[in-house]
Amino acid sequence: DERVDERQNTNSQFLITIPGHVTAERRDYETILRTIRNQLQLRKSDLIIELLGSPRGESGENILQQCKNLKQDGWSIITHEDWISTEEFDKRIQAADAILAPMRRTKDISVVTERYGISKGSVCFMDAVMHGKPLILPAHYEVPARFEPMVSQYDTESRLAAIIEHMINS
């Protein structure tokens, strides 16, 4: 497998990167953190999760606090307090084994409700394509046909855990 050779993640742990500002408004970190806690306990030593973005507001700070609690419980979680330069962002995406984009179904903007994958796009596809990384998305996100081969989708914690397990094993 060509990807194994270009993997910059030098240890044997599988690195999943979640790009973007850390905020509960746009992304569903709760499902991710619950999945880690409840479904992937036996993978604690095999997995690194990186939140590749700075926290936004109270919800972002709350998410980072939950990550600190998971770290104290022995999980490898990388977080960033400050803005990440484009150069560093690209380097971190390149080091990832997979990109996880836990987009919420909708985002309210003033009186308009944007629907991710329909009226509102995401840069995650570009990041995944540019860096040749598999992409993990929620099932509600409508994936353009040309991206389907590189995308795995989940609708439950157990499905997300199964996708991660499969990626670690292959």
Side-chain angles (χ1 to χ4, degrees), residues 50-101:
E50 179 171 24
L51 278 56
L52 189 58
S54 55
R56 279 268 171 98
E58 197 177 315
S59 74
E61 295 298 338
N62 179 19
I63 292 160
L64 289 196
Q65 185 54 54
Q66 291 181 59
C67 289
K68 283 183 183 130
N69 296 343
L70 284 168
K71 281 191 226 182
Q72 287 169 348
D73 192 34
W75 285 95
S76 297
I77 299 182
I78 302 166
T79 57
H80 302 271
E81 293 287 341
D82 303 313
W83 184 81
I84 299 153
S85 71
T86 306
E87 186 181 327
E88 182 62 19
F89 183 90
D90 286 343
K91 204 183 296 179
R92 302 299 312 149
I93 291 281
Q94 187 55 45
D97 293 304
I99 296 172
L100 173 55

Side-chain angles (χ1 to χ4, degrees), residues 14-143:
F14 192 84
L15 174 59
I16 294 178
T17 298
I18 305 172
H21 288 291
V22 179
T23 170
E25 182 182 85
R26 289 184 168 175
R27 291 176 191 82
D28 175 16
Y29 289 95
E30 291 300 318
T31 297
I32 307 307
L33 298 175
R34 269 196 321 270
T35 300
I36 292 167
R37 256 193 313 271
N38 303 334
Q39 308 269 334
L40 293 167
Q41 276 296 329
L42 298 174
R43 291 305 203 160
K44 199 182 281 189
S45 61
D46 300 326
L47 195 56
I48 303 171
I49 305 288
E50 179 171 24
L51 278 56
L52 189 58
S54 55
R56 279 268 171 98
E58 197 177 315
S59 74
E61 295 298 338
N62 179 19
I63 292 160
L64 289 196
Q65 185 54 54
Q66 291 181 59
C67 289
K68 283 183 183 130
N69 296 343
L70 284 168
K71 281 191 226 182
Q72 287 169 348
D73 192 34
W75 285 95
S76 297
I77 299 182
I78 302 166
T79 57
H80 302 271
E81 293 287 341
D82 303 313
W83 184 81
I84 299 153
S85 71
T86 306
E87 186 181 327
E88 182 62 19
F89 183 90
D90 286 343
K91 204 183 296 179
R92 302 299 312 149
I93 291 281
Q94 187 55 45
D97 293 304
I99 296 172
L100 173 55
M103 243 68 96
R104 292 204 177 280
R105 185 180 297 272
T106 59
K107 179 188 183 205
D108 294 333
I109 300 171
S110 181
V111 295
V112 176
T113 298
E114 294 278 16
R115 287 190 59 203
Y116 283 100
I118 297 170
S119 64
K120 180 154 185 53
S122 173
V123 179
C124 62
F125 289 108
M126 195 172 69
D127 288 334
V129 170
M130 277 177 41
H131 297 280
K133 305 295 175 182
L135 182 59
I136 306 168
L137 289 169
H140 64 77
Y141 198 103
E142 291 186 25
V143 177

